[in-house]
Amino acid sequence: MAETSATEERLTLTLPDGSTREVPAGTTGREVAESIGPGLARAALVAEVDGRVVDLDAPLTDSGAFRVHTFDSDEGQEVFWHSTAHLTAQAVKRLFPGAKLAIGPPVEQGYYYDIDFGEPISSEDFEKIEAEMERIVEEDLKIHRATMPLEEARRFFEEMDETYKVRILEDLKADEEVALTEDEEVSLYTQGEWTDLCRGPHVPSTGYLKAFKLTQLAGAYWRGDPDNEQLQRVYGISFPMASQLESHLQRIEEAKKRDHRRIGREMDLFSFQEEGPGFPFWHPNGTILFNTVSDYIRGKLEERGYHEIRTPLILSEELWHKSGHWDHYRENMYFTEIDEKGYAVKPMNCPGACLIYASDLRSYRDLPLRMAEMGTVHRHELSGVLHGLTRVRSFTQDDAHHYCTPDQVEAESATIVELIREVYSDFGFEDYRVELSTRPEKYAGTIDMWDRAEEQLTAVLDQSGLEYTVNEGEGAFYGPKIDFHIRDSIGRSWQLGTVQVDYSMPEAFDLEYVGSDGERHRPVMIHRAIFGSVERFLAILIEHYAGDFPLWLAPRQTVVIPVGESHRDYARQTAERLREGGLRVEVDDRDEKVGYKIREAETGRVPYMLVVGDREEEAGSVSVRRRKEGDIGTMTVEAFLELAQKERDSYS
Ligand SMILES: [Zn+2]
Ligand SMILES: [Zn+2]
């Protein structure tokens, strides 16, 4: 530790476990980390005091909450990735001295650096750059921070011909909000022979950046403006350990293989056409999948006393004024005109459900009233963000609205949470995260209503035994909500189900029920979805299973393959029997080799291939191949049917 003297200023640091530590001012974050434990000191990348992230070797000047960031925190990752952007830039400058550097921020997964190479490079140059980065890591150069007046820094970068850095500095002066003067200081980071303009912080030395990979080269414009200079964006990713990089690259590879757009083509499930940008076309196989999932959910709703409704796609503009969508959601809506009156295509199903509720006088005996709708909605998205089935302009929600008394919110929410858990488990999602979001600053209704609803939702979650986190102040303006995030088979997280209490819409639509006291009361409305968007859910399912659906979901379940022309009749008879037994079955009687047909069925992800020739015909049997497993033996048609039915009915 730094030498202490009696007069020296002392800092009080509060550690994450709540304990406090007194250290002399000027002690570094690294020294504090060492005093906590050698393991932490080894993993430490940067320190944080009082909400400010600083270099590990920077002398501490303030008291406050103290923590050390390792690669396990978002802050640690950002610093690690941004430091690797510097590493990349230094290697580039060694290899391409004329290259001019623009900006190099961390992104969600890794980092990039925008560079003007003069003469554009190709990704074939990556190997060379990576080799130089390797050398710089071995040199283990210390990364120093220094400050200098803005004008001095401007001259420094001008001399190096780093024109983009000069422009960044000039902008700092010109920008009304920042408005630095020439004498105000900016910070620079130096490693070895190379210096960058940077706010920091950074890892202590280049030796920390053990495992990295340049992943992609893309075009970019200075300041994102197509009128400006065209730059090249070098993307990369890095980790403290080689094994982490390895598994990351494997995950990316795996995700590519599972891409639902590719599998969707191979299984002939859906397509997008120029004539309807962002509007999915469901092909026959995809429609089977869509209907199977819809029928499944309908079965669940019937058991639980839901009433299914259907409401129009196009509704008057006035309705959307009333619902608040006009004020808050107009940008994402499509409009049209009928008989010179304005109409809108519905972006949500709730107002339609409210009109049905209001179509009759409701009594407390009718509540809770559960109305479900497989409702197709249209929402405008910019063309740049459209992505397969996960970001579309038209999709179907497995929507439902529960109308209930304020006392029933808890019981209703509990049945919804139970239903959501049951459904996710049937689809093989056992790992999920639950979040409860509470009253935001701007809210509808009264504080009493909110407190009560939050209490009720908390009780539901506590009794469910689910672990959950609370997002204070993150609720919708109309009520608190519970969100479900599932984790798929390769570890990605997706937000799906939602339970949202709403006080606002019943008010807006003047919904009422007659209570046991004979007076009129306002019902509470609970919006809920389990899949969210069926389209997006199917995309997630396709990637989760990599197209190898459990039998009940597989659009094509069985294909019967006759060995020769003479076996076609037997193949058709077999198919007929299986169809009667409720299986989806087709006969591939094209003039192709058996091996070819098997390969094609494998690509199409058909779980069962039944080959029939002389022997099978004589014995009334089928020779069964299971996708990916191969031959699983010969059995009678009846035995196969029984086996397949059992598998189909087991949801797994
Ligand atoms: Zn930097
Ligand atoms: Zn709704």
Side-chain angles (χ1 to χ4, degrees):
M1 293 237 170
E3 277 173 47
T4 54
S5 72
T7 56
E8 201 159 35
E9 197 199 335
R10 297 188 70 80
L11 307 176
T12 308
L13 304 176
T14 310
L15 304 186
D17 66 3
S19 66
T20 57
R21 216 160 269 234
E22 286 236 339
V23 298
T27 304
T28 65
R30 184 199 297 278
E31 286 163 338
V32 180
E34 274 162 359
S35 76
I36 298 171
L40 182 66
R42 260 196 309 277
L45 299 174
V46 278
E48 181 183 325
V49 189
D50 214 15
R52 225 160 47 88
V53 184
V54 296
D55 293 327
L56 203 55
D57 292 317
L60 301 180
T61 52
D62 296 304
S63 294
F66 175 90
R67 61 173 295 193
V68 160
H69 287 288
T70 66
F71 194 75
D72 290 335
S73 77
D74 288 347
E75 290 86 348
Q77 282 182 1
E78 263 178 36
V79 167
F80 197 87
W81 287 333
H82 175 59
S83 298
T84 318
H86 276 221
L87 172 68
T88 307
Q90 185 179 19
V92 163
K93 289 296 282 189
R94 284 185 180 181
L95 297 167
F96 308 90
K100 294 177 184 170
L101 305 170
I103 54 164
V107 291
E108 213 186 303
Q109 288 284 305
Y111 65 91
Y112 66 78
Y113 215 119
D114 281 349
I115 302 170
D116 185 345
F117 283 90
E119 200 53 29
I121 63 158
S122 79
S123 49
E124 274 156 40
D125 294 301
F126 278 1
E127 217 172 297
K128 202 165 64 177
I129 299 171
E130 283 168 345
E132 193 59 44
M133 289 166 72
E134 202 84 57
R135 264 191 285 280
I136 300 170
V137 171
E138 267 161 43
E139 289 165 23
D140 194 17
L141 304 171
K142 258 194 117 29
I143 302 175
H144 297 282
R145 178 192 173 92
T147 56
M148 63 171 73
L150 184 136
E151 179 52 24
E152 202 182 319
R154 202 188 61 80
R155 280 201 305 269
F156 174 81
F157 285 107
E158 205 165 51
E159 254 163 55
M160 294 200 301
D161 209 21
E162 289 285 9
T163 46
Y164 299 99
K165 301 291 174 189
V166 171
R167 279 149 82 176
I168 292 170
L169 286 164
E170 281 167 355
D171 284 354
L172 286 178
K173 226 162 54 173
D175 189 304
E176 275 176 31
E177 267 176 45
V178 189
L180 284 190
T181 64
E182 291 190 349
D183 303 324
E184 273 176 285
E185 302 219 301
V186 294
S187 62
L188 285 74
Y189 276 79
T190 301
Q191 50 199 60
E193 78 290 352
W194 176 76
T195 299
D196 201 355
L197 173 67
C198 179
R199 221 173 316 154
H202 277 283
V203 299
S205 73
T206 58
Y208 277 70
L209 309 169
K210 289 271 183 309
F212 52 79
K213 175 128 187 84
L214 300 181
T215 50
Q216 201 194 330
L217 189 64
Y221 295 102
W222 167 242
R223 297 274 189 233
D225 183 345
D227 291 335
N228 287 341
E229 291 89 338
Q230 165 112 54
L231 310 169
Q232 282 187 293
R233 179 165 294 180
V234 179
Y235 284 95
I237 181 87
S238 58
F239 295 89
M241 290 193 297
S243 59
Q244 292 166 314
L245 176 64
E246 189 80 3
S247 55
H248 172 83
L249 295 175
Q250 261 168 19
R251 262 199 315 278
I252 301 267
E253 235 359 83
E254 192 52 47
K256 255 192 230 158
K257 269 192 259 162
R258 287 167 182 262
D259 191 320
H260 72 278
R261 295 168 299 179
R262 183 178 134 182
I263 294 176
R265 256 193 317 277
E266 288 173 357
M267 297 180 72
D268 196 17
L269 299 176
F270 62 88
S271 65
F272 287 90
Q273 318 274 349
E274 262 172 53
E275 289 79 357
F279 305 123
F281 286 71
W282 288 99
H283 296 201
N285 290 337
T287 303
I288 291 173
L289 189 58
F290 198 106
N291 289 342
T292 303
V293 163
S294 307
D295 291 346
Y296 161 86
I297 208 76
R298 284 198 172 101
K300 295 278 169 195
L301 299 185
E302 229 161 82
E303 289 164 17
R304 286 173 168 76
Y306 279 88
H307 306 280
E308 185 169 358
I309 58 170
R310 292 173 62 76
T311 65
L313 284 184
I314 297 176
L315 291 162
S316 80
E317 254 177 45
E318 286 130 55
L319 179 78
W320 303 106
H321 280 286
K322 199 171 175 179
S323 68
H325 289 90
W326 182 270
D327 290 335
H328 299 292
Y329 209 70
R330 198 177 17 181
E331 247 82 285
N332 298 80
M333 291 167 64
Y334 298 113
F335 294 92
T336 186
E337 226 174 64
I338 302 172
D339 295 341
E340 285 157 54
K341 254 190 76 191
Y343 285 78
V345 182
K346 69 173 172 183
M348 290 182 201
N349 304 304
C350 343
C354 287
L355 293 184
I356 293 185
Y357 181 95
S359 69
D360 201 356
L361 181 64
R362 309 287 176 182
S363 134
Y364 70 97
R365 285 193 207 89
D366 301 325
L367 305 185
L369 179 62
R370 302 166 181 161
M371 293 201 281
E373 178 171 17
M374 290 302 254
T376 299
V377 296
H378 289 72
R379 296 180 185 175
H380 186 65
E381 296 268 11
L382 296 177
S383 57
V385 302
L386 297 175
H387 181 90
L389 294 174
T390 55
R391 278 298 271 283
V392 287
R393 286 171 171 159
S394 141
F395 56 93
T396 305
Q397 289 182 308
D398 65 321
D399 216 345
H401 296 97
H402 293 224
Y403 297 89
C404 61
T405 69
D407 289 330
Q408 290 168 333
V409 168
E410 182 172 339
E412 284 307 286
S413 306
T415 63
I416 299 171
V417 167
E418 193 191 287
L419 173 60
I420 289 177
R421 297 178 72 177
E422 192 177 310
V423 171
Y424 291 171
S425 153
D426 283 346
F427 283 95
F429 297 114
E430 301 290 353
D431 183 7
Y432 42 83
R433 201 153 56 71
V434 183
E435 289 175 0
L436 170 65
S437 301
T438 59
R439 193 181 65 238
E441 260 169 55
K442 247 187 76 187
Y443 60 90
T446 65
I447 293 229
D448 279 352
M449 281 170 150
W450 274 84
D451 286 348
R452 187 144 165 232
E454 285 174 12
E455 253 169 53
Q456 288 176 306
L457 292 188
T458 305
V460 167
L461 289 177
D462 286 342
Q463 275 159 32
S464 73
L466 286 168
E467 273 186 42
Y468 65 96
T469 52
V470 179
N471 294 339
E472 295 287 353
E474 298 282 309
F477 78 91
Y478 48 77
K481 59 172 184 168
I482 299 173
D483 289 319
F484 283 75
H485 302 253
I486 56 126
R487 202 172 280 286
D488 69 13
S489 58
I490 55 170
R492 293 170 304 180
S493 174
W494 302 90
Q495 207 238 297
L496 292 186
T498 182
V499 185
Q500 309 191 351
V501 180
D502 187 348
Y503 303 112
S504 171
M505 211 174 271
E507 194 80 38
F509 282 84
D510 197 20
L511 303 184
E512 293 178 331
Y513 66 92
V514 180
S516 54
D517 55 3
E519 303 284 316
R520 300 200 167 209
H521 299 273
R522 190 76 76 212
V524 183
M525 184 175 177
I526 305 174
H527 311 252
R528 76 103 183 96
I530 303 170
F531 302 142
S533 140
V534 177
E535 282 76 0
R536 185 165 159 278
F537 182 69
L538 291 179
I540 295 165
L541 269 191
I542 293 167
E543 300 193 359
H544 180 64
Y545 288 118
D548 282 313
F549 290 111
L551 196 62
W552 73 281
L553 279 171
R556 301 169 65 196
Q557 294 172 324
T558 324
V559 54
V560 185
I561 303 172
V563 173
E565 244 188 278
S566 60
H567 311 113
R568 283 179 182 171
D569 280 343
Y570 178 64
R572 278 186 211 115
Q573 280 165 30
T574 304
E576 199 43 50
R577 174 68 195 112
L578 298 177
R579 206 169 286 128
E580 280 167 18
L583 287 191
R584 291 189 279 273
V585 56
E586 53 204 84
V587 177
D588 188 351
D589 56 5
R590 293 173 302 169
D591 259 336
E592 300 284 356
K593 293 226 162 60
V594 171
Y596 174 85
K597 293 180 189 174
I598 287 175
R599 274 197 304 283
E600 222 181 50
E602 290 263 347
T603 310
R605 283 141 173 106
V606 182
Y608 285 110
M609 292 146 261
L610 310 178
V611 182
V612 294
D614 286 337
R615 252 186 314 144
E616 286 78 11
E617 186 163 356
E618 269 162 42
S621 65
V622 287
S623 172
V624 185
R625 286 183 69 90
R626 169 99 208 177
R627 178 174 138 73
K628 281 176 147 177
E629 282 172 33
D631 206 345
I632 61 167
T634 301
M635 57 187 88
T636 63
V637 175
E638 293 307 314
F640 170 73
L641 181 58
E642 200 180 311
L643 174 142
Q645 283 171 333
K646 219 162 136 194
E647 181 181 336
R648 180 199 59 195
D649 296 339
S650 76
Y651 282 143
S652 60

